[in-house]
């Protein structure tokens, strides 16, 4: 990045006019997202089978991951093989916070992966993720049944008694948009500084997981 790789400097009234123009677009996007959220809340749901995962305390079922809550957000962490860990899933999990806030909305959070439980437990300890519940889905068809295809996916579930239903799922940019650090970086002049972004010439940009 050179010293000249910065936005142009303009008088305050010109900046205010440009900011007001952008605000119109931002409000349009916000209203569009509100409409999408309303549509999402009206999705039908599908009954989901029972699965038994492996936790550090022994077997744990999909139903048990809810705890006493009616809703569950369940992230499928990609299995990259022995002694390897998906950088994207790692970056995502580093952003998982305020689970107490979710709990107040009757929503539990957990992470599962087709990694063996010993590999997950070691990584959780290394990364200081003890606040994030996790279990291994290795040996089950859960990942395939969700359509994760060996990748990562966020599923949303609702329970009615002991019956579990899937209400929503998202991956790729749908997951990417949930990250606190990305959301804040998107507001900064240099953005995320990733090489896929549409940025002015000279802006700092690097490989996404470099």
């Amino acid at each position: 990045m050179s010293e000249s790789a910065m936005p142009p400097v303009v008088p305050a009234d010109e900046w205010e006019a440009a900011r007001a123009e952008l605000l119109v677009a931002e409000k349009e996007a916000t209203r569009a997202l509100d409409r999408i959220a309303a549509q999402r809340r009206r999705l039908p749901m599908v009954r989901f089978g029972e699965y038994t995962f492996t936790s550090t305390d022994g077997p744990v079922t999909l139903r048990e991951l809810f705890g006493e809550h009616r809703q569950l957000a369940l992230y499928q962490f990609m299995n990259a093989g022995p002694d390897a860990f998906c950088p994207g899933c790692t970056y995502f999990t580093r952003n998982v916070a305020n689970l107490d806030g979710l709990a107040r909305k009757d929503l539990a959070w957990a992470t599962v992966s087709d990694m063996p439980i010993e590999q997950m437990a070691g990584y959780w300890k290394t990364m200081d993720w003890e606040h994030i519940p996790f279990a291994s889905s290795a040996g089950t068809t859960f990942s395939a049944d969700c359509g994760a295809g060996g990748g990562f996916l966020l599923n949303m579930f609702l329970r009615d008694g002991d019956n579990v239903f899937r209400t929503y799922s998202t991956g790729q940019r749908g997951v990417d948009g949930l990250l606190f650090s990305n959301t804040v970086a998107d507001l900064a002049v240099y953005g995320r500084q990733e090489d896929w972004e549409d940025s002015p010439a000279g802006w700092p940009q690097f490989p996404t997981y470099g």
Side-chain angles (χ1 to χ4, degrees):
M1 180 183 69
S2 68
E3 292 275 340
S4 60
M6 296 186 295
V9 178
V10 298
D13 58 346
E14 187 174 335
W15 183 89
E16 291 286 356
R19 177 66 189 96
E21 181 179 356
L22 176 60
L23 183 60
V24 172
E26 288 178 333
K27 287 186 174 182
E28 288 175 354
T30 297
R31 287 191 286 268
L33 290 173
D34 287 344
R35 290 192 295 271
I36 291 170
Q39 184 177 356
R40 187 182 299 118
R41 289 190 293 272
R42 288 166 173 79
L43 278 175
M45 62 185 183
V46 60
R47 187 164 183 169
F48 227 63
E50 189 56 271
Y51 298 84
T52 300
F53 307 123
T54 303
S55 76
T56 53
D57 295 323
V60 59
T61 65
L62 175 61
R63 162 63 187 89
E64 288 171 333
L65 291 178
F66 283 78
E68 297 304 313
H69 300 295
R70 288 204 64 199
Q71 303 173 96
L72 170 68
L74 189 59
Y75 182 70
Q76 184 79 32
F77 196 113
M78 184 186 298
N79 177 20
D83 303 317
F85 301 96
C86 170
C89 291
T90 296
Y91 186 59
F92 178 85
T93 305
R94 282 180 177 143
N95 279 259
V96 175
N98 194 22
L99 298 186
D100 288 342
L102 291 181
R104 287 193 290 272
K105 298 182 184 298
D106 204 17
L107 177 57
W109 178 281
T111 299
V112 296
S113 175
D114 286 341
M115 288 187 284
I117 188 60
E118 296 81 9
Q119 185 179 357
M120 290 188 76
Y123 199 48
W124 254 241
K125 183 176 181 179
T126 297
M127 301 302 293
D128 195 25
W129 290 341
E130 284 83 357
H131 66 291
I132 302 174
F134 66 94
S136 172
S137 53
T140 76
T141 61
F142 180 79
S143 177
D145 294 345
C146 286
F152 63 91
L153 197 71
L154 179 66
N155 282 287
M156 305 300 295
F157 294 100
L158 176 72
R159 72 174 179 87
D160 181 20
D162 287 332
N163 296 318
V164 175
F165 302 87
R166 181 160 70 157
T167 61
Y168 181 70
S169 68
T170 188
Q172 304 299 326
R173 295 295 299 277
V175 170
D176 174 271
L178 301 175
L179 277 66
F180 170 79
S181 55
N182 281 354
T183 300
V184 175
D186 284 340
L187 304 179
V189 66
Y190 292 130
R192 303 182 194 181
Q193 302 179 42
E194 297 178 4
D195 54 10
W196 60 267
E197 290 179 290
D198 180 1
S199 296
W203 256 227
Q205 289 189 301
F206 308 95
T208 300
Y209 300 123

